Amino acid sequence: MKPMFSRVKSVVVFVESPFQLANAFEFSQLQPSVSWLIIVRLNGDKKNDDAILRAADNNQRSNVKIKFLGIPRKGVRKFYGLCRLLSVLPLLWGVGEVIFFDDRSVVFRLLKRVMRRDVYLADDGAYSFVKIKELEKSREKIAGLITRFKEIESQSVNIIHVPYKEITVKTANYALVVGMPVCEKGIISKESYLSFVNLMLNKAESITGHKAYYFPHRSESAYRDLGIPVILSDLSVEEYIEENMAAAPSAIVSMYSTALFVVSSKFLGVRCFYFRLPELEIKSEVSRKNIALVYEGLNKSRCDEVFGGGRPN
C-alpha cells in the first residue's frame, strides 16, 4: 500500500474514540519511518475511555507515541481540560502533517483557530458520508480527507483512500444484528427501535437459516427491554470478528452502522445487509438528510438491502 504522505518526518493525530485510534494505528504502519504522535482525548465516558485505554496498552509500534488528555464533555473539568489542551501547541510547531478525525469536536474547533495551517481530516465512521458533502460546500480549506471507504469520492476535495486489507474468514452457524444508539440519541422513538430490532433478528434468521444474536453498541441500553438473545462484548463487532476468524458470523444486519462498511470491506465470507429506516420514523429533518447520505454510500458498497419501507406491525 502506498504511503499517505511524501517527504514527511512527523505526523500528529488527534483521536477521541476506539475506532479513530484503531485507524490511526493502521495509518502509522503505512509509513513506519515517520514519527507519529497520537494525542488521545479521554472524554469521561467510561466505556469509551476504557476501550481506548485497552487499545493503547496493546501498542507495540516503535514509531508511535501516545499522549493522553482528559477533557470531559461538560462541567468545570471540561474548562480545565481545554486549558491543558493548549499545552500541545508546541508539539505542532514544525510537525509535518496534522490529522483530526472529528471536525465536530471542541478540540478541533479550538486548535483550528490557533493553528495557521491546513490540516487533514480522517474518517469518523459513517459520518464521513455527511462530512464530505459539508466539505464540498464549505469555504474552510483542509489539506484533504483520509478515508477507508472506497465509496467516498469528490471532485473538489482531495481524497486519500486507505482501503482495508481483505481477510478471508471461516463462518459459523449464527448471525449478528449490530445495534446503534438511535433512540438514545433521539433519532427514532424507543417504540420504533424495539420493533425494528425484532424485525432485523427475524430477517437475519430467515436469510441465513441460523440463530441470530443482538450485538449492542456500547452506548445503547433500550434493547434490554426485549429479552432477546444478546452477545455482550467490550469489543466492537469488527474486533469481535477479528478475534473469531475461525468462527465468524455468517452475516451481519444493521440499520446504517459503520460496521457494515468495515466488515463488508475487510472480512471476506461475512455477508452484510442493511435495513433502511423509514423516513417518517426519523424525528428531525437534519437526521433524515444525513442518514440518506449514508444509505447512498451503502448502495455503492458490498452490502445488500434486506427490506425497507413501512413500519413493522
Side-chain angles (χ1 to χ4, degrees), residues 116-131:
R116 296 185 176 181
R117 61 177 298 160
D118 292 341
V119 301
Y120 284 88
L121 295 178
D123 280 329
D124 186 22
Y127 172 68
S128 294
F129 291 91
V130 179
K131 182 186 298 185

Side-chain angles (χ1 to χ4, degrees), residues 206-277:
S206 68
I207 290 171
T208 63
H210 301 151
K211 179 72 173 178
Y213 297 85
Y214 192 67
F215 196 101
H217 188 277
R218 64 179 180 274
S219 299
E220 66 171 318
S221 58
Y223 68 89
R224 295 170 185 164
D225 293 349
L226 286 173
I228 54 177
V230 173
I231 292 180
L232 295 176
S233 175
D234 292 330
L235 304 176
S236 67
V237 69
E238 304 96 297
E239 292 169 328
Y240 175 86
I241 292 174
E242 194 147 8
E243 288 209 353
N244 294 275
M245 289 194 293
S250 58
I252 69 168
V253 179
S254 190
M255 295 177 181
Y256 54 94
S257 170
T258 299
L260 290 166
F261 292 100
V262 178
V263 174
S264 64
S265 299
K266 188 173 183 178
F267 299 109
L268 302 181
V270 181
R271 301 164 68 194
C272 296
F273 301 91
Y274 64 93
F275 162 63
R276 186 183 297 273
L277 280 176

Side-chain angles (χ1 to χ4, degrees), residues 16 41-46 48-49 69-74:
E16 303 192 24
R41 176 191 180 185
L42 300 176
N43 64 20
D45 180 292
K46 187 177 188 308
N48 182 79
D49 292 353
L69 283 176
I71 307 177
R73 289 177 174 171
K74 56 186 177 180

Side-chain angles (χ1 to χ4, degrees), residues 188-199:
I188 63 175
S189 70
K190 182 176 179 179
E191 178 189 8
S192 296
Y193 160 85
L194 296 177
S195 296
F196 292 145
V197 167
N198 274 323
L199 185 57

Side-chain angles (χ1 to χ4, degrees), residues 21 46-59 233-236 239:
L21 181 58
K46 187 177 188 308
K47 290 184 178 180
N48 182 79
D49 292 353
D50 286 350
I52 285 177
L53 292 171
R54 281 195 303 273
D57 283 344
N58 293 327
N59 175 40
S233 175
D234 292 330
L235 304 176
S236 67
E239 292 169 328

Side-chain angles (χ1 to χ4, degrees), residues 19-151:
F19 176 84
Q20 296 170 12
L21 181 58
N23 277 329
F25 280 154
E26 291 195 33
F27 293 167
S28 72
Q29 298 314 288
L30 297 178
Q31 295 184 269
S33 62
V34 173
S35 174
W36 290 70
L37 173 62
I38 301 177
I39 299 176
V40 181
R41 176 191 180 185
L42 300 176
N43 64 20
D45 180 292
K46 187 177 188 308
K47 290 184 178 180
N48 182 79
D49 292 353
D50 286 350
I52 285 177
L53 292 171
R54 281 195 303 273
D57 283 344
N58 293 327
N59 175 40
Q60 303 293 328
R61 301 158 185 86
S62 60
N63 66 323
V64 174
K65 292 183 178 180
I66 301 175
K67 179 180 177 62
F68 294 101
L69 283 176
I71 307 177
R73 289 177 174 171
K74 56 186 177 180
V76 175
R77 291 176 62 198
K78 177 179 179 179
F79 172 77
Y80 289 116
L82 291 174
C83 291
R84 288 195 298 271
L85 179 62
L86 298 178
S87 69
V88 309
L89 287 176
L91 302 175
L92 303 178
W93 297 338
V95 72
E97 301 292 354
V98 178
I99 303 172
F100 287 91
F101 279 83
D102 188 355
D103 61 333
R104 299 166 293 180
S105 165
V106 64
V107 173
F108 172 80
R109 294 197 301 270
L110 180 60
L111 289 181
K112 190 68 170 67
R113 287 180 178 272
V114 296
M115 288 191 307
R116 296 185 176 181
R117 61 177 298 160
D118 292 341
V119 301
Y120 284 88
L121 295 178
D123 280 329
D124 186 22
Y127 172 68
S128 294
F129 291 91
V130 179
K131 182 186 298 185
I132 188 60
K133 297 300 182 183
E134 293 177 346
L135 290 173
E136 288 174 337
K137 297 175 183 178
S138 174
R139 295 181 179 179
E140 186 174 24
K141 287 184 61 180
I142 64 164
L145 175 66
I146 304 168
T147 180
R148 314 302 303 266
F149 306 140
K150 63 183 183 302
E151 297 85 4

